[in-house]
Amino acid sequence: MSPEQIEAAAAALVTARQAQPISGLPETGRPQSEADSYAIQASVLRRLGENVGGYKVGLSPEGGIFCAPIYGSKVHASPARLPARGFHLIGIECEIGFRVNQALPVPATPYSRDEVLAAASLHPTIEVVDSRYQDFRSLDRLQVLADNFSNGALVYGAAASEWQGMDLVHPPIAVTADGKPFADCTGLRAGDPIGLFVELVNFVANKRGGVPAGTFVTTGTHTGLVFTEPGVTIRAEYGPLGRAEVSFPA
């Protein structure tokens, strides 16, 4: 994509954040590669004057991982109250998250699993899924990636302790909406959340000049995507890993 096409796509997404969702990006502003999507992400971030508070990460069909920024203003400690009017839609995904607690500069060689974990803590999280598109599930993956892969917010619980050795692919997660069963924990289809976290740290450290302290990383849904309504309180109990809670006052 040309710089002009990237800026046109970013302008459309900024307008959608400030007004109504759009059907898709302009035909000449549709990304043709993950690199294009990342360039659009960066332009939207800059136009909004936001900072990166974290990343969501997953496996890319192109090989390796993909990532999308979570804005600093969208990262909230549990229990969080997020007015429903701030979202076009309210999707819920329960995920294992990590927080980088000390800055990780550009490495001479890739960070090892042990090095990354020594600098991080594990947190139960709820990702709130939102979109600047009218129907993101009808669009190609690269357009969705350009829109921060449908991130709306991230809610994180307190740091877990003594989680080493637990099965983090199938953690015990019980999710309720206003106290009633809401979603089933089916496990992480992308595999090992620690492996995804380590890959994300190395990707960001090398491509974006290091990973600042305080950066959160969320590693994919264990519950699928389930939609809720204004006025509801969602609670995710992660057993020994703790809990995360978010409500959406109307």
Side-chain angles (χ1 to χ4, degrees), residues 70-120:
I70 302 170
Y71 299 154
S73 66
K74 304 297 184 182
V75 178
H76 307 274
S78 172
R81 288 174 53 86
L82 308 181
R85 65 179 178 274
F87 301 92
H88 292 139
L89 52 86
I90 307 173
I92 298 296
E93 294 184 344
C94 297
E95 312 191 8
I96 296 290
F98 297 90
R99 183 181 188 271
V100 177
N101 295 318
Q102 62 187 61
L104 296 172
V106 179
T109 58
Y111 286 111
S112 70
R113 186 182 180 103
D114 288 345
E115 287 173 326
V116 172
L117 291 180

Side-chain angles (χ1 to χ4, degrees), residues 54-149:
Y55 292 92
K56 54 187 300 182
V57 60
L59 291 178
S60 169
E62 298 180 13
I65 62 165
F66 73 84
C67 67
I70 302 170
Y71 299 154
S73 66
K74 304 297 184 182
V75 178
H76 307 274
S78 172
R81 288 174 53 86
L82 308 181
R85 65 179 178 274
F87 301 92
H88 292 139
L89 52 86
I90 307 173
I92 298 296
E93 294 184 344
C94 297
E95 312 191 8
I96 296 290
F98 297 90
R99 183 181 188 271
V100 177
N101 295 318
Q102 62 187 61
L104 296 172
V106 179
T109 58
Y111 286 111
S112 70
R113 186 182 180 103
D114 288 345
E115 287 173 326
V116 172
L117 291 180
S121 50
L122 182 148
H123 298 256
T125 73
I126 296 172
E127 183 189 1
V128 183
V129 174
D130 195 9
S131 181
R132 277 49 66 177
Y133 300 121
Q134 293 167 4
D135 182 7
F136 71 94
R137 289 170 292 187
S138 70
L139 298 177
D140 64 272
R141 177 180 163 276
L142 292 177
Q143 288 193 70
V144 177
L145 181 58
D147 183 37
N148 294 2
F149 221 78

